[in-house]
Amino acid sequence: MIETEKYWKKKLSPDQYHVLREAGTEPAFSGKFYKHKEKGKYICGACGNELFSSETKFDSECGWPSFYDAPKGNVEFCEDNSFGMKRTEVLCSKCKSHLGHIFDDGPKPTGKRFCINSLALDFDSGK
């Protein structure tokens, strides 16, 4: 079911809404998951869809949580030409919320860097 923006405004904090629903970006080095090292799953902060495993998280020193892979089908990609740049936006495949961007400068085995806003994420340790 596709939720309305009214629903998201009630469910999310103003900062989460700005990132997830308005494609905003949190300040670099400010997010709660930037240096997070616990084992588990990173899930969409809006709908709870599983997005990334802690096993694929790495320190890219870019200021945002970075991952080199995502479960197949759990994220979608969209061309983003905002701010005079050509980038690829990463969206949650379930609720279409903005997560961040993907770049081709990540580590092996994929060579990808999913640069994701902490405000777009929640964490499930499985405990």
mmCIF file of all heavy atoms in Angstrom, residues 59-95:
data_model
loop_
_atom_site.group_PDB
_atom_site.id
_atom_site.type_symbol
_atom_site.label_atom_id
_atom_site.label_comp_id
_atom_site.label_asym_id
_atom_site.label_seq_id
_atom_site.Cartn_x
_atom_site.Cartn_y
_atom_site.Cartn_z
ATOM 1 N N ASP A 59 33.966 1.579 6.531
ATOM 2 C CA ASP A 59 34.278 2.968 6.836
ATOM 3 C C ASP A 59 34.873 3.625 5.600
ATOM 4 O O ASP A 59 36.039 3.437 5.285
ATOM 5 C CB ASP A 59 35.242 3.060 8.014
ATOM 6 C CG ASP A 59 35.485 4.497 8.461
ATOM 7 O OD1 ASP A 59 34.860 5.419 7.882
ATOM 8 O OD2 ASP A 59 36.291 4.699 9.380
ATOM 9 N N SER A 60 34.055 4.393 4.896
ATOM 10 C CA SER A 60 34.516 5.066 3.678
ATOM 11 C C SER A 60 35.102 6.439 3.986
ATOM 12 O O SER A 60 35.634 7.093 3.094
ATOM 13 C CB SER A 60 33.353 5.233 2.701
ATOM 14 O OG SER A 60 32.418 6.146 3.232
ATOM 15 N N GLU A 61 34.977 6.884 5.235
ATOM 16 C CA GLU A 61 35.456 8.185 5.692
ATOM 17 C C GLU A 61 34.797 9.340 4.941
ATOM 18 O O GLU A 61 35.357 10.431 4.851
ATOM 19 C CB GLU A 61 36.989 8.263 5.597
ATOM 20 C CG GLU A 61 37.667 7.212 6.456
ATOM 21 C CD GLU A 61 39.180 7.232 6.382
ATOM 22 O OE1 GLU A 61 39.757 8.080 5.669
ATOM 23 O OE2 GLU A 61 39.790 6.386 7.056
ATOM 24 N N CYS A 62 33.589 9.098 4.402
ATOM 25 C CA CYS A 62 32.882 10.140 3.655
ATOM 26 C C CYS A 62 31.939 10.948 4.537
ATOM 27 O O CYS A 62 31.433 11.980 4.117
ATOM 28 C CB CYS A 62 32.121 9.536 2.479
ATOM 29 S SG CYS A 62 30.675 8.559 2.952
ATOM 30 N N GLY A 63 31.658 10.464 5.759
ATOM 31 C CA GLY A 63 30.780 11.189 6.668
ATOM 32 C C GLY A 63 29.401 10.595 6.831
ATOM 33 O O GLY A 63 28.605 11.071 7.634
ATOM 34 N N TRP A 64 29.097 9.537 6.059
ATOM 35 C CA TRP A 64 27.806 8.866 6.150
ATOM 36 C C TRP A 64 28.029 7.360 6.208
ATOM 37 O O TRP A 64 29.055 6.863 5.729
ATOM 38 C CB TRP A 64 26.934 9.192 4.931
ATOM 39 C CG TRP A 64 26.509 10.619 4.875
ATOM 40 C CD1 TRP A 64 25.425 11.177 5.481
ATOM 41 C CD2 TRP A 64 27.170 11.678 4.183
ATOM 42 N NE1 TRP A 64 25.366 12.525 5.208
ATOM 43 C CE2 TRP A 64 26.433 12.855 4.415
ATOM 44 C CE3 TRP A 64 28.327 11.757 3.402
ATOM 45 C CZ2 TRP A 64 26.796 14.090 3.892
ATOM 46 C CZ3 TRP A 64 28.692 12.991 2.879
ATOM 47 C CH2 TRP A 64 27.923 14.140 3.126
ATOM 48 N N PRO A 65 27.084 6.606 6.771
ATOM 49 C CA PRO A 65 27.213 5.151 6.740
ATOM 50 C C PRO A 65 27.360 4.668 5.296
ATOM 51 O O PRO A 65 26.653 5.151 4.401
ATOM 52 C CB PRO A 65 25.895 4.653 7.341
ATOM 53 C CG PRO A 65 25.371 5.807 8.126
ATOM 54 C CD PRO A 65 25.840 7.043 7.417
ATOM 55 N N SER A 66 28.283 3.727 5.087
ATOM 56 C CA SER A 66 28.539 3.217 3.737
ATOM 57 C C SER A 66 28.479 1.702 3.726
ATOM 58 O O SER A 66 28.948 1.044 4.655
ATOM 59 C CB SER A 66 29.914 3.674 3.256
ATOM 60 O OG SER A 66 29.954 5.082 3.146
ATOM 61 N N PHE A 67 27.930 1.174 2.656
ATOM 62 C CA PHE A 67 27.755 -0.268 2.465
ATOM 63 C C PHE A 67 28.188 -0.607 1.050
ATOM 64 O O PHE A 67 28.036 0.204 0.145
ATOM 65 C CB PHE A 67 26.279 -0.656 2.654
ATOM 66 C CG PHE A 67 25.707 -0.205 3.969
ATOM 67 C CD1 PHE A 67 25.166 1.060 4.118
ATOM 68 C CD2 PHE A 67 25.720 -1.047 5.073
ATOM 69 C CE1 PHE A 67 24.644 1.492 5.327
ATOM 70 C CE2 PHE A 67 25.206 -0.629 6.293
ATOM 71 C CZ PHE A 67 24.666 0.638 6.423
ATOM 72 N N TYR A 68 28.712 -1.830 0.851
ATOM 73 C CA TYR A 68 29.119 -2.206 -0.501
ATOM 74 C C TYR A 68 28.107 -3.089 -1.223
ATOM 75 O O TYR A 68 28.294 -3.397 -2.403
ATOM 76 C CB TYR A 68 30.515 -2.843 -0.526
ATOM 77 C CG TYR A 68 30.672 -4.139 0.218
ATOM 78 C CD1 TYR A 68 30.241 -5.347 -0.332
ATOM 79 C CD2 TYR A 68 31.286 -4.173 1.462
ATOM 80 C CE1 TYR A 68 30.394 -6.546 0.353
ATOM 81 C CE2 TYR A 68 31.450 -5.363 2.148
ATOM 82 C CZ TYR A 68 31.004 -6.542 1.576
ATOM 83 O OH TYR A 68 31.158 -7.723 2.257
ATOM 84 N N ASP A 69 27.004 -3.451 -0.544
ATOM 85 C CA ASP A 69 25.991 -4.274 -1.200
ATOM 86 C C ASP A 69 24.671 -4.163 -0.444
ATOM 87 O O ASP A 69 24.646 -3.786 0.731
ATOM 88 C CB ASP A 69 26.436 -5.738 -1.253
ATOM 89 C CG ASP A 69 25.794 -6.533 -2.380
ATOM 90 O OD1 ASP A 69 25.033 -5.949 -3.178
ATOM 91 O OD2 ASP A 69 26.056 -7.745 -2.471
ATOM 92 N N ALA A 70 23.580 -4.503 -1.141
ATOM 93 C CA ALA A 70 22.233 -4.534 -0.554
ATOM 94 C C ALA A 70 21.543 -5.797 -1.039
ATOM 95 O O ALA A 70 21.828 -6.272 -2.141
ATOM 96 C CB ALA A 70 21.439 -3.310 -0.995
ATOM 97 N N PRO A 71 20.629 -6.370 -0.235
ATOM 98 C CA PRO A 71 19.888 -7.540 -0.700
ATOM 99 C C PRO A 71 19.156 -7.234 -2.009
ATOM 100 O O PRO A 71 18.547 -6.174 -2.155
ATOM 101 C CB PRO A 71 18.886 -7.813 0.431
ATOM 102 C CG PRO A 71 19.500 -7.175 1.640
ATOM 103 C CD PRO A 71 20.235 -5.970 1.119
ATOM 104 N N LYS A 72 19.243 -8.153 -2.941
ATOM 105 C CA LYS A 72 18.637 -7.960 -4.265
ATOM 106 C C LYS A 72 17.146 -7.641 -4.145
ATOM 107 O O LYS A 72 16.414 -8.321 -3.440
ATOM 108 C CB LYS A 72 18.844 -9.218 -5.101
ATOM 109 C CG LYS A 72 18.421 -9.070 -6.549
ATOM 110 C CD LYS A 72 18.790 -10.293 -7.354
ATOM 111 C CE LYS A 72 18.293 -10.182 -8.762
ATOM 112 N NZ LYS A 72 19.257 -9.668 -9.677
ATOM 113 N N GLY A 73 16.738 -6.566 -4.812
ATOM 114 C CA GLY A 73 15.337 -6.172 -4.835
ATOM 115 C C GLY A 73 14.889 -5.289 -3.686
ATOM 116 O O GLY A 73 13.756 -4.823 -3.675
ATOM 117 N N ASN A 74 15.742 -5.031 -2.699
ATOM 118 C CA ASN A 74 15.323 -4.252 -1.537
ATOM 119 C C ASN A 74 15.524 -2.751 -1.698
ATOM 120 O O ASN A 74 14.981 -1.959 -0.933
ATOM 121 C CB ASN A 74 16.028 -4.736 -0.275
ATOM 122 C CG ASN A 74 15.542 -6.111 0.131
ATOM 123 O OD1 ASN A 74 15.014 -6.875 -0.681
ATOM 124 N ND2 ASN A 74 15.715 -6.451 1.381
ATOM 125 N N VAL A 75 16.351 -2.372 -2.695
ATOM 126 C CA VAL A 75 16.532 -0.963 -3.015
ATOM 127 C C VAL A 75 16.318 -0.772 -4.512
ATOM 128 O O VAL A 75 16.437 -1.720 -5.293
ATOM 129 C CB VAL A 75 17.923 -0.420 -2.597
ATOM 130 C CG1 VAL A 75 18.110 -0.497 -1.089
ATOM 131 C CG2 VAL A 75 19.043 -1.139 -3.315
ATOM 132 N N GLU A 76 15.994 0.458 -4.880
ATOM 133 C CA GLU A 76 15.819 0.831 -6.277
ATOM 134 C C GLU A 76 16.732 2.016 -6.572
ATOM 135 O O GLU A 76 17.184 2.700 -5.651
ATOM 136 C CB GLU A 76 14.371 1.239 -6.557
ATOM 137 C CG GLU A 76 13.393 0.118 -6.403
ATOM 138 C CD GLU A 76 11.951 0.559 -6.649
ATOM 139 O OE1 GLU A 76 11.695 1.771 -6.839
ATOM 140 O OE2 GLU A 76 11.090 -0.323 -6.638
ATOM 141 N N PHE A 77 16.953 2.262 -7.843
ATOM 142 C CA PHE A 77 17.851 3.331 -8.255
ATOM 143 C C PHE A 77 17.133 4.286 -9.194
ATOM 144 O O PHE A 77 16.282 3.876 -9.983
ATOM 145 C CB PHE A 77 19.078 2.744 -8.938
ATOM 146 C CG PHE A 77 19.777 1.715 -8.096
ATOM 147 C CD1 PHE A 77 19.596 0.360 -8.341
ATOM 148 C CD2 PHE A 77 20.587 2.087 -7.052
ATOM 149 C CE1 PHE A 77 20.219 -0.598 -7.563
ATOM 150 C CE2 PHE A 77 21.212 1.141 -6.251
ATOM 151 C CZ PHE A 77 21.031 -0.205 -6.513
ATOM 152 N N CYS A 78 17.497 5.554 -9.098
ATOM 153 C CA CYS A 78 16.878 6.585 -9.913
ATOM 154 C C CYS A 78 17.941 7.630 -10.252
ATOM 155 O O CYS A 78 18.742 8.004 -9.389
ATOM 156 C CB CYS A 78 15.744 7.222 -9.119
ATOM 157 S SG CYS A 78 14.843 8.498 -9.999
ATOM 158 N N GLU A 79 17.946 8.099 -11.492
ATOM 159 C CA GLU A 79 18.882 9.153 -11.887
ATOM 160 C C GLU A 79 18.562 10.428 -11.116
ATOM 161 O O GLU A 79 17.403 10.804 -10.959
ATOM 162 C CB GLU A 79 18.771 9.400 -13.385
ATOM 163 C CG GLU A 79 19.810 10.363 -13.907
ATOM 164 C CD GLU A 79 19.770 10.506 -15.410
ATOM 165 O OE1 GLU A 79 19.728 9.470 -16.104
ATOM 166 O OE2 GLU A 79 19.778 11.654 -15.883
ATOM 167 N N ASP A 80 19.603 11.078 -10.605
ATOM 168 C CA ASP A 80 19.454 12.316 -9.829
ATOM 169 C C ASP A 80 20.408 13.351 -10.417
ATOM 170 O O ASP A 80 21.623 13.210 -10.306
ATOM 171 C CB ASP A 80 19.779 12.038 -8.359
ATOM 172 C CG ASP A 80 19.724 13.279 -7.478
ATOM 173 O OD1 ASP A 80 19.421 14.377 -7.987
ATOM 174 O OD2 ASP A 80 20.008 13.154 -6.280
ATOM 175 N N ASN A 81 19.849 14.380 -11.028
ATOM 176 C CA ASN A 81 20.657 15.448 -11.625
ATOM 177 C C ASN A 81 20.538 16.756 -10.848
ATOM 178 O O ASN A 81 20.808 17.820 -11.387
ATOM 179 C CB ASN A 81 20.238 15.662 -13.086
ATOM 180 C CG ASN A 81 20.537 14.441 -13.928
ATOM 181 O OD1 ASN A 81 21.631 13.898 -13.872
ATOM 182 N ND2 ASN A 81 19.561 13.992 -14.694
ATOM 183 N N SER A 82 20.178 16.663 -9.570
ATOM 184 C CA SER A 82 20.025 17.863 -8.748
ATOM 185 C C SER A 82 21.384 18.492 -8.438
ATOM 186 O O SER A 82 22.422 17.830 -8.479
ATOM 187 C CB SER A 82 19.282 17.528 -7.449
ATOM 188 O OG SER A 82 20.008 16.590 -6.692
ATOM 189 N N PHE A 83 21.356 19.759 -8.131
ATOM 190 C CA PHE A 83 22.547 20.515 -7.735
ATOM 191 C C PHE A 83 23.660 20.473 -8.787
ATOM 192 O O PHE A 83 24.842 20.542 -8.457
ATOM 193 C CB PHE A 83 23.074 20.044 -6.375
ATOM 194 C CG PHE A 83 22.042 20.096 -5.286
ATOM 195 C CD1 PHE A 83 21.479 18.930 -4.784
ATOM 196 C CD2 PHE A 83 21.604 21.311 -4.768
ATOM 197 C CE1 PHE A 83 20.507 18.968 -3.786
ATOM 198 C CE2 PHE A 83 20.630 21.356 -3.779
ATOM 199 C CZ PHE A 83 20.087 20.190 -3.292
ATOM 200 N N GLY A 84 23.295 20.317 -10.050
ATOM 201 C CA GLY A 84 24.273 20.315 -11.130
ATOM 202 C C GLY A 84 25.170 19.087 -11.172
ATOM 203 O O GLY A 84 26.214 19.098 -11.819
ATOM 204 N N MET A 85 24.782 18.028 -10.470
ATOM 205 C CA MET A 85 25.568 16.792 -10.439
ATOM 206 C C MET A 85 24.785 15.671 -11.099
ATOM 207 O O MET A 85 23.558 15.690 -11.100
ATOM 208 C CB MET A 85 25.887 16.388 -8.992
ATOM 209 C CG MET A 85 26.749 17.361 -8.242
ATOM 210 S SD MET A 85 27.088 16.792 -6.557
ATOM 211 C CE MET A 85 25.642 17.385 -5.705
ATOM 212 N N LYS A 86 25.499 14.689 -11.615
ATOM 213 C CA LYS A 86 24.854 13.484 -12.146
ATOM 214 C C LYS A 86 25.166 12.346 -11.180
ATOM 215 O O LYS A 86 26.314 11.901 -11.080
ATOM 216 C CB LYS A 86 25.365 13.154 -13.549
ATOM 217 C CG LYS A 86 24.632 12.004 -14.177
ATOM 218 C CD LYS A 86 25.024 11.763 -15.605
ATOM 219 C CE LYS A 86 24.194 10.607 -16.126
ATOM 220 N NZ LYS A 86 24.336 10.424 -17.547
ATOM 221 N N ARG A 87 24.130 11.919 -10.448
ATOM 222 C CA ARG A 87 24.303 10.867 -9.443
ATOM 223 C C ARG A 87 23.195 9.851 -9.597
ATOM 224 O O ARG A 87 22.222 10.058 -10.319
ATOM 225 C CB ARG A 87 24.250 11.458 -8.030
ATOM 226 C CG ARG A 87 25.283 12.519 -7.755
ATOM 227 C CD ARG A 87 25.153 13.104 -6.379
ATOM 228 N NE ARG A 87 23.923 13.898 -6.262
ATOM 229 C CZ ARG A 87 23.492 14.449 -5.137
ATOM 230 N NH1 ARG A 87 24.166 14.302 -4.019
ATOM 231 N NH2 ARG A 87 22.390 15.150 -5.104
ATOM 232 N N THR A 88 23.332 8.752 -8.844
ATOM 233 C CA THR A 88 22.288 7.736 -8.798
ATOM 234 C C THR A 88 21.739 7.686 -7.381
ATOM 235 O O THR A 88 22.462 7.382 -6.423
ATOM 236 C CB THR A 88 22.830 6.357 -9.219
ATOM 237 O OG1 THR A 88 23.375 6.457 -10.539
ATOM 238 C CG2 THR A 88 21.738 5.312 -9.193
ATOM 239 N N GLU A 89 20.456 8.007 -7.267
ATOM 240 C CA GLU A 89 19.764 8.007 -5.986
ATOM 241 C C GLU A 89 19.392 6.581 -5.612
ATOM 242 O O GLU A 89 19.042 5.774 -6.475
ATOM 243 C CB GLU A 89 18.506 8.859 -6.109
ATOM 244 C CG GLU A 89 17.691 8.964 -4.850
ATOM 245 C CD GLU A 89 16.423 9.789 -5.020
ATOM 246 O OE1 GLU A 89 16.024 10.064 -6.172
ATOM 247 O OE2 GLU A 89 15.818 10.132 -3.995
ATOM 248 N N VAL A 90 19.441 6.275 -4.309
ATOM 249 C CA VAL A 90 19.029 4.976 -3.775
ATOM 250 C C VAL A 90 17.714 5.182 -3.022
ATOM 251 O O VAL A 90 17.619 6.054 -2.148
ATOM 252 C CB VAL A 90 20.094 4.383 -2.823
ATOM 253 C CG1 VAL A 90 19.651 3.029 -2.293
ATOM 254 C CG2 VAL A 90 21.448 4.274 -3.508
ATOM 255 N N LEU A 91 16.713 4.367 -3.376
ATOM 256 C CA LEU A 91 15.394 4.429 -2.759
ATOM 257 C C LEU A 91 15.031 3.084 -2.145
ATOM 258 O O LEU A 91 15.437 2.038 -2.656
ATOM 259 C CB LEU A 91 14.323 4.757 -3.813
ATOM 260 C CG LEU A 91 14.498 6.018 -4.625
ATOM 261 C CD1 LEU A 91 13.568 6.009 -5.826
ATOM 262 C CD2 LEU A 91 14.249 7.240 -3.770
ATOM 263 N N CYS A 92 14.239 3.110 -1.084
ATOM 264 C CA CYS A 92 13.668 1.884 -0.539
ATOM 265 C C CYS A 92 12.679 1.346 -1.569
ATOM 266 O O CYS A 92 11.801 2.074 -2.035
ATOM 267 C CB CYS A 92 12.967 2.178 0.776
ATOM 268 S SG CYS A 92 12.040 0.774 1.437
ATOM 269 N N SER A 93 12.789 0.076 -1.907
ATOM 270 C CA SER A 93 11.901 -0.508 -2.914
ATOM 271 C C SER A 93 10.468 -0.683 -2.407
ATOM 272 O O SER A 93 9.540 -0.762 -3.194
ATOM 273 C CB SER A 93 12.444 -1.858 -3.401
ATOM 274 O OG SER A 93 12.468 -2.781 -2.335
ATOM 275 N N LYS A 94 10.294 -0.691 -1.105
ATOM 276 C CA LYS A 94 8.958 -0.908 -0.539
ATOM 277 C C LYS A 94 8.152 0.391 -0.432
ATOM 278 O O LYS A 94 6.996 0.435 -0.845
ATOM 279 C CB LYS A 94 9.085 -1.568 0.837
ATOM 280 C CG LYS A 94 7.766 -1.958 1.462
ATOM 281 C CD LYS A 94 7.995 -2.724 2.754
ATOM 282 C CE LYS A 94 6.692 -3.046 3.453
ATOM 283 N NZ LYS A 94 6.935 -3.683 4.758
ATOM 284 N N CYS A 95 8.751 1.461 0.104
ATOM 285 C CA CYS A 95 7.991 2.699 0.330
ATOM 286 C C CYS A 95 8.475 3.867 -0.521
ATOM 287 O O CYS A 95 7.923 4.957 -0.440
ATOM 288 C CB CYS A 95 8.003 3.079 1.807
ATOM 289 S SG CYS A 95 9.612 3.631 2.425
#
